[in-house]
């Protein structure tokens, strides 16, 4: 091939070098069998399709990738990050079922970027440029039915470690609404990923109020703050609006708060952030509800330097169901995630493979075509960890021993499935299986916590509660006893010790423990209720009434306290006090026949 | 197997390049040994400044940065803090916006946006970047007042590739190098590769 172009030994050195380079270029062209790509013809359409959605002004990416100047300035970065498949960000390997919102370049497209850069970043003919891209309006699905906004901006500090924080957004609703779609606007380049959750308990609001700045810190979400019913709700930069499949809208009730858990990265300057959520409602109530199941391994214990350590868990599908979505979760030491379905006929099917996990880009994945999993399928989670210095994400250098826990320097191994049972009865089978797993997980989780700190009173209480759920009373009582011993000022420890005594018929000891509970925490409603019952059984009517009154004052939805107090007042001949209580109790629990009889008595007497 | 002519051509060409690169290395090595930096930086008004003029009584830190490189931007508060602490101990910092694709107007806007008060320069034609073999942002060079190399490379270990970063840095290489230099006055010429956005071909 070299002999095909002229060799002129008499040429001055510079000119001969030019011919060399020219020759290499010509040879290169022949070898590739294609012309060198130019910006306007090959690169610009790729940028618009895969990059500019985020890499444009006002969006989340750190620089713009729209013009020839942008592309030449960042050419090396583009070749690097596309070649490593770091950009566009998408963690799972391709699945035959496909994923909604999948963002992948083909091998040929990656090679185009590389060839364009290596070939001198030719601009090409501007007349052959593609049409300028049309970006969606502010809200991709049009004006939302409701926009909720953080009341006050939060400022991400200029420097320091990554920030994990929850932001609480009260939702002004007058009735139950069904959310068909939502879109998240963080309005900040510091935003890296987010999970949307719902809180009906007020816990998140209280945590927010206790923190001087908007929101409250931590990767650890309060237990009462939950994902929308049956759904995962994650966001990463570039993710558009999230739509629920038809019939699977999620319910949002009045007095709920939306809670956004965010991972924020300092950018070098203070970044004020005032996020917005756009909600789209539907009048079609959900016709079905997906169930979520979790595989979790709490036994993580990674020695410094440990590599290729795999933690697993599995879940047996109790009834025929379609797998709609999947959510893996681990922190910075997780390297590879795999989910496998072992079907009853012996066939093994891969549900998810993330060959190179990246905490920064975590999220959930919805299959384009749901995967049918017949009853009896065993789903297996396999998560591989690397706690060596070779893991560039390792938050500790030198590496430290790492165990299960919610903080960045702890680890987790979780895999969640979103399933739609094929038959109505399937739902009950999942509920039963999930309750059993919840108890099993609570036992495993709290056992692990006690292994780390045997003096953790709350872990003893929670372990005891899970054991009670499994009807293992003797073991449960022992944990409540130890809880009260190691955490003598923990009201819940005394409360559950009181419960143990009540279950054993030891009423005096039970009364003493419930008294201790309300001394420690006068607003422990359940302790007041139990004291009321014990006093009532002992024939101390006035003392019982005082306890039920306290319980009802603390929690006006406590139907038992309300009805019992009403009936006591009726018995005491205080009809004026009894009537409103019984009327309220009838609203709270229309099935209580004693309340109905009491009300009937009052009506008859009035006549 | 007979090598094909193309491979042969590429091999010969690489051989030549390697030789040239060797010469360049030898030349820069000799220059840093002789310890007289001749290259100058250009401030935003277009005036030239020799490196000795910019140096503190003991040394100078050159910070190569860009206006839109996320790794570089995230490290700026650390640079500002280190410069405040080092100034009174005889080490001055200078910011170098070396990427020719960035306009002086963009540089001024960046200085304001990130509240940077350090002196800022350009390096047209890369004389300083070539002298110290820097090619990415952020990359720092710590030299003694008479031009001996103390440290060159990354600021910290937060990023190990573009977009691949830990929740927090676990090593602060520039801070360590500064501390060691201020304590000992030695110029060991330590190099730790930097990761970031490329402003010239390596």
């Amino acid at each position: 091939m070299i002999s095909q172009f002229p060799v002129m030994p008499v040429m001055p050195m510079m000119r001969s070098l030019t011919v060399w380079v020219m020759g290499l270029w010509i040879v290169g062209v022949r070898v590739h069998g294609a012309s060198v790509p130019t910006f306007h013809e090959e690169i610009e359409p790729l940028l618009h399709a895969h990059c500019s959605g985020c890499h444009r002004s006002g969006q989340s990416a750190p620089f713009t990738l729209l013009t020839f100047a942008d592309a030449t300035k960042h050419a090396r970065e583009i070749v690097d990050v596309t070649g490593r498949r770091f950009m566009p960000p998408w963690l799972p390997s391709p699945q035959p079922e496909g994923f909604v919102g999948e963002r992948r370049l083909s091998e040929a497209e990656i090679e185009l970027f590389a060839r364009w850069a290596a070939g001198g970043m030719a601009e090409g003919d501007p007349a052959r440029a593609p049409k300028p891209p049309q970006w969606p309006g502010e809200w991709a699905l049009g004006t939302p039915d409701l926009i909720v906004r953080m009341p006050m901006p939060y400022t991400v500090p200029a420097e320091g470690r990554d920030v994990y924080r929850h932001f609480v957004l009260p939702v002004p609703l007058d009735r139950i609404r069904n959310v068909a779609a939502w879109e998240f606007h963080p309005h900040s380049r510091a935003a890296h990923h987010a999970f949307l959750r719902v809180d009906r308990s007020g816990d998140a609001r209280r945590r927010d109020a206790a923190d001087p700045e908007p929101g409250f810190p931590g990767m650890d979400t309060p237990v009462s703050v939950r994902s929308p019913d049956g759904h995962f709700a994650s966001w990463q930069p570039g993710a558009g609006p999230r739509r629920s499949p038809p019939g699977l809208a999620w319910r949002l009730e009045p007095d709920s708060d939306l809670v956004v858990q965010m991972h924020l990265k300092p950018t070098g300057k203070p970044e004020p952030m005032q996020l917005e959520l756009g909600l789209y409602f539907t009048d079609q109530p959900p016709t079905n509800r997906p169930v979520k199941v979790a595989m979790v391994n709490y036994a993580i214990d990674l020695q410094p330097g440990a590599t290729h350590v795999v933690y697993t868990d599995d879940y047996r599908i109790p009834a025929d169901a379609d797998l709609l979505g999947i959510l893996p979760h681990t922190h910075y030491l997780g390297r590879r995630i795999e989910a496998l379905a072992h079907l009853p006929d012996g066939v093994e099917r891969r549900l998810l493979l993330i060959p190179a996990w990246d905490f920064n880009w975590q999220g959930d994945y919805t299959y384009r075509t749901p995967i049918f999993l017949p009853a009896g399928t065993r789903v297996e989670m396999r998560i591989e960890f690397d706690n060596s210095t070779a893991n560039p994400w390792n938050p500790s250098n030198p590496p430290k021993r790492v165990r299960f826990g919610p903080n960045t320097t702890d680890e987790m191994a979780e895999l969640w499935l979103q399933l739609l049972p094929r038959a109505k009865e399937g739902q009950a089978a999942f509920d039963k299986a999930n309750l059993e797993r919840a108890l099993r997980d609570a036992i495993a989780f709290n056992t692990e916590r006690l292994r780390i700190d045997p003096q953790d009173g709350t872990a003893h209480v929670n372990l005891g509660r899970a054991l009670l759920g499994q009807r293992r009373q003797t073991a449960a009582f022992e944990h409540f006893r130890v809880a009260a011993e190691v955490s003598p000022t923990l009201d819940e420890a005394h409360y559950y010790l009181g419960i143990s005594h009540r279950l054993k018929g030891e009423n005096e000891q039970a009364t003493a423990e419930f008294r201790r509970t309300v001394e420690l925490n006068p607003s422990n409603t359940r302790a007041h209720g139990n004291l009321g019952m014990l006093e009532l059984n002992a024939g101390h009517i006035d003392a019982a009434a005082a306890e039920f009154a306290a319980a009802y004052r603390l929690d006006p939805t406590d139907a038992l306290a309300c009805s019992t107090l009403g009936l006591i007042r009726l018995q005491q001949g205080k009809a004026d006090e009894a009537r409103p209580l019984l009327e309220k109790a009838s609203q709270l629990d229309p099935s209580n026949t004693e309340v109905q009889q009491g009300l009937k008595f009052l009506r008859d007497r009035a006549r | 197997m007979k090598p094909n002519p193309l491979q042969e051509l590429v091999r010969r060409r690489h051989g030549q390049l390697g030789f040239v690169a060797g010469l360049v290395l030898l030349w820069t090595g000799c220059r840093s040994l002789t310890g007289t930096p001749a290259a100058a930086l250009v401030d935003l008004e277009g005036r030239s400044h020799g490196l000795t003029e910019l140096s503190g009584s003991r040394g100078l830190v050159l910070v190569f940065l860009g206006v839109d490189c996320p790794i570089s931007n995230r490290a700026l508060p650390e640079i500002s803090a280190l410069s405040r602490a080092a100034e009174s101990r005889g080490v001055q910092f200078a910011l170098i916006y070396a990427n020719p694709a960035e306009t002086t107007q963009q540089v001024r806007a960046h200085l304001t946006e990130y509240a940077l008060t350090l002196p800022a320069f350009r390096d047209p034609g890369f004389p300083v970047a070539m002298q110290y073999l820097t090619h990415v942002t952020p990359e720092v060079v710590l030299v003694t007042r008479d031009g001996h190399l103390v440290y060159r490379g990354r600021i910290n270990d937060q990023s190990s590739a573009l977009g691949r970063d830990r929740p927090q840095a676990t090593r602060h290489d520039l801070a360590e190098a500064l501390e060691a230099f201020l304590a000992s006055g030695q110029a060991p010429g330590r190099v730790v590769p930097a990761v970031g956005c490329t402003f010239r071909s390596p």
Side-chain angles (χ1 to χ4, degrees), chain A residues 226-422:
Chain A
R226 296 162 186 276
S227 303
D229 240 3
H231 292 268
F232 308 124
S234 71
W235 173 90
Q236 309 83 33
R242 290 294 297 262
R243 256 189 258 240
S244 303
L248 298 180
W250 47 274
R251 280 158 58 99
L252 188 58
E253 311 194 42
D255 303 322
S256 299
D257 290 332
L258 288 171
V259 180
V260 181
Q261 183 196 22
M262 290 201 76
H263 175 193
L264 298 155
K265 283 180 172 289
T267 63
K269 62 185 167 71
E271 292 275 2
M273 184 197 68
Q274 192 163 16
L275 62 87
E276 281 183 314
L277 267 169
L279 299 171
Y280 299 84
F281 301 132
T282 171
D283 292 331
Q284 303 291 311
T287 52
N288 217 333
R289 181 174 64 88
V291 291
K292 288 189 293 191
V293 304
M295 278 154 276
V296 189
N297 194 315
Y298 296 103
I300 299 172
D301 189 353
L302 295 158
Q303 297 301 322
T307 59
H308 304 292
V309 182
V310 177
Y311 284 97
T312 63
D313 191 21
D314 53 14
Y315 182 90
R316 195 166 291 277
I317 302 289
D320 288 0
D322 289 300
L323 178 66
L324 305 182
I326 194 161
L327 167 71
H329 181 72
T330 173
H331 294 171
Y332 291 96
L333 302 184
R335 296 302 325 119
R336 184 179 188 276
I337 297 178
E338 194 170 19
L340 297 166
H342 303 276
L343 302 176
D345 59 9
V347 171
E348 183 185 289
R349 186 167 175 181
R350 200 179 74 195
L351 305 176
L352 179 75
L353 174 65
I354 295 183
W357 167 254
D358 183 341
F359 177 86
N360 293 327
W361 291 97
Q362 65 180 296
D364 65 286
Y365 305 100
T366 301
Y367 298 99
R368 263 184 208 290
T369 313
I371 303 176
F372 176 59
L373 298 177
T377 300
R378 183 173 66 86
V379 180
E380 184 189 11
M381 162 190 94
R382 298 180 60 80
I383 303 186
E384 187 182 310
F385 290 84
D386 181 349
N387 190 19
S388 73
T389 47
N391 176 357
W393 284 272
N394 200 328
S396 300
N397 183 17
K400 293 190 183 116
R401 181 180 181 185
V402 172
R403 296 205 269 203
F404 176 86
N407 302 309
T408 17
T409 45
D410 304 322
E411 265 308 328
M412 291 180 85
E414 285 187 3
L415 183 78
W416 291 75
L417 306 177
Q418 184 194 32
L419 294 146
L420 194 61
R422 286 239 164 145

Side-chain angles (χ1 to χ4, degrees), chain A residues 20-57:
Chain A
W20 263 37
V21 174
M22 285 291 290
L24 193 68
W25 180 72
I26 292 164
V27 172
V29 169
R30 295 229 176 127
V31 168
H32 285 296
S35 59
V36 169
T38 70
F39 178 75
H40 290 304
E41 282 181 75
E42 282 91 356
I43 301 304
E44 197 173 3
L46 278 184
L47 285 187
H48 292 172
H50 299 283
C51 316
S52 317
C54 297
H55 285 270
R56 63 190 162 103
S57 146

